[in-house]
Structures are given as C-alpha cells and as structure tokens.
C-alpha cells in the first residue's frame, strides 16, 4: 500500500506531493510529526493506474532540473536558498528502510534527496588502498580471511555498492570533492593471507569532512548535526572513520566528537591498516536545516538535546578558562597590593560587578560584506538602553568554546544574515535572536535561520532592512529592481545574487527604527529575569 502526502510550502502557490511507504515516518520541511494520510486500496485498478501516472509525473519533476540546470548554478543556489527545487528540503522519505539488515548483507537507503546511507553487517574490513570496505559473507568474525587481492581462493562478488558519504548528494560540485567508497560483499573462505590489524567490537561510522566544510553553517548543518542524528542512539559505542580527513576539523570539533564516541577517530585514507568491525554505517542521516526531527529519532530527541550535548562538550573547557582568569585576577590583585598606585583597579572591578545584572547583548560582527557600517552607534544605543554589549568576531580558527561561553551567557543575539549566525545554536532557549535581513536574502534568512531558530526555542525577530538602509541605495536608482524588486533580480541566477546582494552589500541601520526591536528585547529579557528570580525565591 502507498500513501500520498501533500504539503504546502511556505511560499504561496507551490504544492508538492511526496510518495512514501506506509511503514515510514516523514518529517517535512517545516513540520515534525504526523501528517494527513489517505489510503488507497490495491484492488482498485483505475486508482493503481492513477498512482502510476502520478509516480511518472513525480519522477519527471525530480529529473528535469538535473538536465536543464547548470550543475554549478544549482549547487550554489541551494547553498544560499535561492533555488526553486523545494523538494530538496525533505528529510528521508523512507527512514524505516534498512531498519533490519541480515548478517552478511548490505542495505542501502537512497530514498532521500539529501543523502545516501548504507548499513553493512557481519565481517566488515577496510581497505583504504582501494577505497573499499569489504563484507565477507559466511566467514563470521575469524581473525584471518581472504584479502581482496588474494588469488589462492575464489572470492565471488555478491554485491557492489558505491557511495559518497556526505549529506548534499544533489549538489555535483560538493559531491565531486568527496571520496567515493566501494562497498563490496564477497563470498569469502577462511585463510591466513589477510590479518585484521585492528579488531573492533563496536560499529564503524563512515562520513566525509569534505564538501562545503570550512563554512560554519555547512560544518554544523551537513556534518555535526547529522553526525549526532546518526550516532546518538549508539551511546558512544561507535568508531568514527573519516573520509577526506582534515586535522583542523578534529581540532575544532574534537570536543563534540568525544561526546559521541568513546574511541579515537580513524583517518580512512591515512591509515592503511585493516580495521575489522561487526557492523558499519556508511553515510549520515539528515532531517532538515539545523534541525532534529523528534519523530525520526530514537527516544524522540530534539534539537535541544543536541544543544545539551554542546553544553557537555564545551563546559569543561569553559571552566578551565574561568579558573585561569580567576588565578590571573588574584595574581593581579596581589601585584597591585604591592604597587604604590592601587587606585584604578577597584573602579574597574566595581564596574564589572554593576554590569553583572544587566541584560547581555552579543553582536556577531562581519567584515567585508553585509557589515553593519554604524555598528559603533548601535553599541552606544544598546548600552544607553541598558544592555551590556559584547562584540563577537568569529573567524574560521576561532575556538568554539570561547564563543559558546559568550553566547551561552547572552540574553540577546544580533547579526546580519550569513553563515556565522549558525552560532545561534549556542544561545539558551527562550533567548532573543534578531536577524538583520539584507535586501535579496529574505528566503535564505527565514529558511535557514528564522525557522530553525524558532524550532530551537529562541524568540526570533527578522528585521528586514529598508532599501535606504542598504549600501546599494547609493549605487542604484531609487526605482531600480535591485532595490524595489529583489526577487526579480534573484531569478536572473546565482552569480547575480552573489555579486549584488551577498558580496557587495553592507547595512547602515536606521537606529530609530531598529531601537524599537532593541527595546522589545530589553523589556522581554527584564521580565523573564524577574520571573526567574521570583520562581527561585518561591522555591
């Protein structure tokens, strides 16, 4: 039996149908939970023909963009949300597939538009020299098995799958940077020619850190959150095998990785030893952008559970930073006690104590494009309202624990649309997140950060700038479509969007207009703090 889902995309006039098996659960782009289901009996022949016709239309709809769209354009457009292939926002269309895999077999779920995932069970052995993972059928987990190049015995190939373990499979450019793995089932015989160099007793999980890695949004959206989704149910009893391994990635995300696995990471290409496992998961699951769908998770885990993992990952380091600062402060006080001029120190300390009770506002600062040109004036206005303001200037090499410490203690976050806003994941739920939306970025701003931050539990405000608040206002006529009709400009293609709205646009906020949002955030935060204090007193 087949069921047909219809859902309305957030843009008017676009409705898509999704076919899936009766047993599967679906988490749509903007809704996690049950959807309306209509059942169609098999015995009705006309309806069967009707469904076959719908399937044909569905396949055509999926395939046509691949033939009539430039691969590079399609790839980059989706990266910033300006494309028209909305179906790519779906989660796995059949997550129940491969829920049971017999020993000695491979099951691959290729039903998702975003990612492929294969599961191998039995005698799994790596061979990095040939970019292969072998599964020997019928040999059990003996120490010695026939190797891939051993001609003494016949190793019949029973199954051969190919997979690139990265979560943007529809994007040719991104996937071209990902190493392809061969997953091969062989009918092996016992022998003494191929020793397991390392025998593991837990599951292996293969994934790539290539693609768009290097961009914070993609690092979390395409890698870290899918890693959590795929691995959390294993309770750290998993070995991560990284394809396209980068040392800097391990340095940056090692704290998170250690919360998902009790074992050292394996560099697949850099480690030529034969690693043997009882099971392997190749590829990562993904639900939606910066989102965890509870209906698809064991134990109904949510994006807040992911944030709890970040807490566990970063707080040991943060406590170390705090202890270092306290020791340094005590040392400075000791030195000042011996100094003939100990006048200024108490003033600075008392000022810090007065600021403790002020609502804290963090501003993600950009340079080069989509920069807040009057940021200093914004800071002065926010301080005048009553905020304690901190400027965060993240770069690729920033230590995430330090940024987490600042944002975790902040009540309000402000930033212009861009990958750095992924840091909203470091905020506490019920905090305020104000995204400044430049011209021409409405869809991407709301889809990637607006909607996902609401699911995360933040009080989200999307501040759409006026044309007069854009630096483009000085470069174009006042009635130019660039200013008054950005959607028309975006339809001209990715290169135009990138050149006009992403690379060459800055923001000069109308502070009187923006002040209204700051005041709302301030009074909301004050009321929340008072409510929290009353609750503590009552306890």
């Amino acid at each position: 039996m087949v069921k047909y889902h219809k859902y309305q995309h957030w843009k008017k006039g676009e409705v898509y149908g999704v076919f899936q098996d009766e047993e599967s659960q679906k988490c749509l782009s903007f809704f996690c939970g049950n959807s309306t289901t209509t059942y169609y009996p098999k015995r009705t022949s006309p309806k069967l023909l009707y469904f076959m016709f719908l399937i044909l239309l569905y396949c055509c709809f999926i395939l046509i963009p691949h033939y009539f769209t430039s691969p590079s354009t399609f790839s980059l457009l989706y990266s910033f949300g300006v494309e028209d292939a909305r179906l790519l926002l779906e989660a796995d269309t059949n997550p129940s597939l491969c829920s049971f895999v017999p020993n000695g077999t491979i099951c691959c779920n290729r039903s998702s538009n975003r990612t492929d995932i294969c599961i191998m069970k039995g005698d799994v052995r790596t061979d990095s020299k040939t970019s292969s993972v072998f599964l020997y059928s019928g040999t059990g987990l003996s120490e010695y098995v026939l190797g891939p190049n051993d001609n003494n015995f016949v190793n019949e190939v029973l199954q051969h799958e190919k997979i690139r373990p990265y979560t943007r499979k529809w994007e040719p450019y991104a996937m071209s940077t990902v190493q392809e793995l061969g997953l091969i089932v062989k009918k092996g015989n016992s022998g003494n020619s191929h020793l397991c160099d390392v025998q593991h007793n837990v599951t292996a999980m293969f994934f790539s850190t290539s693609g768009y890695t290097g961009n914070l949004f993609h690092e979390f959206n395409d890698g870290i959150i899918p890693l959590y989704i795929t691995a959390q149910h294993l309770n750290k009893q998993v070995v991560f095998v990284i394809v396209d391994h980068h040392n800097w990635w391990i340095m940056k995300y090692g704290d998170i990785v250690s919360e998902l696995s009790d074992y050292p990471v394996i560099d697949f290409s850099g480690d030529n030893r034969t690693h043997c496992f009882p099971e392997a998961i190749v590829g990562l699951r993904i639900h939606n952008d910066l989102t965890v769908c509870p209906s698809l998770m064991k134990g109904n885990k949510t994006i807040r559970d992911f944030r709890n993992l970040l807490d566990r990952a970063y707080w040991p380091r943060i406590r170390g930073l705090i202890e270092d600062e306290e020791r340094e402060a005590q040392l400075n006080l000791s030195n000042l006690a011996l100094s003939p001029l100990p006048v200024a120190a108490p003033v600075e300390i008392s000022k810090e104590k007065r600021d403790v009770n002020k609502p804290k506002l963090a501003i993600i600062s950009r340079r080069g494009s989509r920069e807040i040109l009057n940021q200093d004036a914004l800071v002065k206005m926010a301080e005048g309202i009553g905020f304690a303001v901190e400027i965060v200037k993240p770069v690729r090499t920033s230590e995430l624990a330090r940024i987490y410490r600042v944002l975790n203690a902040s009540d309000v976050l402000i930033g212009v649309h861009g990958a750095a806003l992924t840091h909203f994941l470091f905020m506490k739920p019920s905090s305020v997140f104000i995204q400044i939306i430049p011209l021409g970025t409405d869809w991407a701003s709301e889809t990637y950060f607006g909607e996902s931050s609401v699911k995360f539990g933040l009080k989200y405000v999307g501040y759409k700038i006026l044309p007069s608040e854009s630096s483009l206002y000085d470069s174009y006529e006042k009635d130019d479509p660039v200013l008054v009709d950005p959607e028309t400009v975006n339809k001209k293609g990715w290169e135009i969007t990138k050149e006009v709205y992403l690379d060459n646009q800055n923001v000069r906020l109308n502070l009187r207009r923006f002040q209204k949002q700051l005041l709302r955030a301030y009074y909301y935060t004050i009321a929340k703090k008072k409510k929290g204090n009353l609750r503590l007193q009552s306890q």
Side-chain angles (χ1 to χ4, degrees):
M1 188 177 292
V2 177
K3 65 180 180 181
Y4 175 68
H5 287 277
K6 245 184 183 180
Y7 65 94
Q8 179 77 34
H9 193 270
W10 71 277
K11 279 198 171 183
K12 294 182 179 179
E14 295 176 324
V15 180
Y16 301 105
V18 180
F19 290 94
Q20 67 175 101
D21 293 339
E22 179 180 348
E23 298 292 328
S24 66
Q25 293 180 346
K26 177 72 183 169
C27 185
L28 299 180
S29 301
F30 310 114
F31 176 77
C32 294
N34 296 326
S35 55
T36 303
T37 305
T38 304
Y39 294 93
Y40 297 89
K42 287 182 179 179
R43 65 176 180 271
T44 307
S45 179
K47 290 188 176 181
L48 179 60
L49 293 174
Y50 172 71
F51 272 110
M52 292 175 66
F53 175 70
L54 286 178
I55 291 172
L56 178 62
L57 287 178
Y58 177 72
C59 292
C60 291
F61 183 76
I62 291 295
L63 293 174
I64 284 174
H66 290 278
Y67 288 102
F68 293 96
T69 308
S70 166
S72 60
T73 302
F74 188 67
S75 166
L76 292 171
L77 282 178
Y78 185 77
S79 299
F80 290 87
V82 202
E83 94 303 342
D84 202 43
R86 309 292 195 232
L87 282 175
L88 296 178
L89 290 172
E90 298 169 16
D92 292 345
T93 59
N94 194 352
S96 64
L97 191 63
C98 299
S99 59
F100 174 75
V101 182
N103 204 51
T105 62
I106 300 175
C107 179
C108 289
N109 184 349
R110 303 184 187 274
S111 63
S112 170
N113 289 306
R114 288 175 175 259
T115 186
D116 291 334
I117 187 166
C118 295
I119 298 176
M120 312 171 74
K121 282 196 176 180
D123 187 359
V124 179
R125 310 205 170 203
T126 63
D127 183 22
S128 61
K129 293 178 181 179
T130 61
S131 299
S132 301
V133 184
F134 289 91
L135 173 61
Y136 290 91
S137 177
T139 62
L141 289 173
S142 59
E143 289 187 354
Y144 299 94
V145 299
L146 215 58
N149 299 317
D150 195 316
N151 296 319
N152 296 327
F153 299 91
V154 176
N155 278 188
E156 179 186 354
V157 174
L158 302 178
Q159 186 179 355
H160 189 175
E161 302 284 347
K162 293 183 179 181
I163 183 173
R164 297 180 188 268
Y166 187 64
T167 58
R168 301 188 80 83
K169 80 174 190 182
W170 75 92
E171 296 205 30
Y173 171 77
M175 298 305 289
S176 69
T177 68
V178 177
Q179 181 179 357
E180 184 177 69
L181 298 180
L183 312 183
I184 302 169
V185 180
K186 284 195 173 186
K187 187 175 182 180
N189 297 303
S190 297
N192 59 1
S193 60
H194 201 65
L195 178 68
C196 282
D197 297 311
V198 185
Q199 180 73 61
H200 303 271
N201 296 317
V202 297
T203 300
M205 188 170 293
F206 293 76
F207 64 94
S208 174
T209 57
S210 191
Y212 290 137
T213 301
N215 174 291
L216 189 77
F217 170 81
H218 290 289
E219 286 169 10
F220 272 90
N221 187 68
D222 305 339
I224 296 298
I225 294 179
L227 190 64
Y228 169 76
I229 290 170
T230 314
Q232 61 85 29
H233 72 285
L234 296 172
N235 299 316
K236 303 178 75 171
Q237 297 305 295
V238 58
V239 174
F240 294 137
V241 185
I242 300 183
V243 182
D244 311 306
H245 180 278
H246 300 287
N247 288 329
W248 68 263
W249 188 91
I250 293 296
M251 291 290 292
K252 189 171 185 178
Y253 294 108
D255 292 336
I256 298 176
V257 169
S258 64
E259 286 298 319
L260 290 171
S261 172
D262 282 334
Y263 301 89
V265 166
I266 295 174
D267 176 359
F268 180 73
S269 298
D271 188 341
N272 292 327
R273 295 177 297 174
T274 299
H275 291 266
C276 301
F277 301 92
E279 180 182 27
I281 300 172
V282 187
L284 301 178
R285 295 183 175 91
I286 184 170
H287 294 164
N288 194 13
D289 296 306
L290 301 179
T291 299
V292 176
C293 282
S295 63
L296 300 176
M297 296 289 287
K298 184 177 180 180
N300 295 319
K301 299 291 187 180
T302 69
I303 189 66
R304 294 197 189 187
D305 292 295
F306 172 75
R307 190 196 176 280
N308 292 338
L309 177 137
L310 297 182
D311 244 6
R312 297 193 300 271
Y314 291 132
W315 266 105
R317 169 60 176 158
I318 292 172
R319 280 192 288 268
L321 292 171
I322 293 172
E323 291 171 0
D324 291 343
E325 291 171 2
E326 289 175 347
R327 281 193 294 268
E328 185 177 351
Q330 291 174 359
L331 180 61
N332 289 339
L333 286 174
S334 299
N335 293 336
L336 287 170
L338 301 174
S339 172
L341 298 172
V343 179
V347 176
E348 291 297 318
I349 293 172
S350 63
K351 180 177 184 295
E352 289 179 2
K353 288 182 178 179
R354 286 199 305 270
D355 287 345
V356 166
N357 295 321
K358 286 187 175 183
K360 295 178 177 59
L361 183 149
I363 299 175
I364 300 288
S365 182
R366 294 182 60 95
R367 288 290 181 266
S369 68
R370 284 163 282 156
E371 177 183 345
I372 302 176
L373 298 176
N374 54 343
Q375 181 173 284
D376 291 344
L378 171 63
V379 170
K380 186 176 181 180
M381 182 178 72
E383 290 175 338
I385 289 173
F387 284 107
V389 181
E390 184 148 2
I391 304 297
V392 180
K393 300 178 180 179
V395 295
R396 179 175 172 176
T397 56
S398 296
E399 183 181 2
L400 292 182
R402 293 179 181 272
I403 300 177
Y404 190 88
R405 179 187 178 186
V406 173
L407 298 187
N408 182 68
S410 297
D411 301 292
V412 181
L413 173 65
I414 294 175
V416 182
H417 171 71
L421 292 192
T422 306
H423 288 110
F424 80 74
L425 295 169
F426 295 0
M427 299 287 288
K428 290 179 179 177
S430 80
S431 301
V432 180
F433 171 39
I434 303 175
Q435 178 179 205
I436 299 169
I437 304 175
L439 298 180
T441 66
D442 293 15
W443 188 92
S445 297
E446 295 299 335
T447 300
Y448 295 132
F449 300 115
E451 292 167 0
S452 54
S453 66
V454 170
K455 293 176 184 177
F456 184 74
L458 299 182
K459 302 298 180 182
Y460 170 70
V461 177
Y463 179 84
K464 287 183 61 174
I465 71 168
L466 299 174
S468 58
E469 294 175 275
S470 171
S471 62
L472 300 174
Y473 194 75
D474 300 324
S475 303
Y476 293 87
E477 296 293 331
K478 304 307 178 276
D479 58 350
D480 193 287
V482 166
L483 300 178
V484 299
D485 192 8
E487 284 194 16
T488 299
V489 178
N490 285 334
K491 288 178 181 178
K492 294 180 180 180
W494 158 250
E495 293 299 332
I496 298 298
T497 297
K498 182 176 184 299
E499 179 183 354
V500 175
Y501 295 120
L502 298 178
D503 292 346
N504 291 294
Q505 180 177 198
N506 291 314
V507 173
R508 185 177 296 278
L509 292 172
N510 180 329
L511 294 180
R512 179 174 295 182
R513 180 172 179 253
F514 193 76
Q515 184 183 44
K516 298 176 182 178
Q517 305 301 336
L518 278 186
L519 287 170
R520 288 175 59 196
Y522 178 80
Y523 291 124
Y524 165 80
T525 301
I526 291 295
K528 186 178 71 169
K529 286 180 178 292
K530 287 182 178 179
K531 185 177 180 180
N533 291 335
L534 290 173
R535 186 183 297 112
L536 289 174
Q537 292 173 7
S538 65
Q539 293 174 351

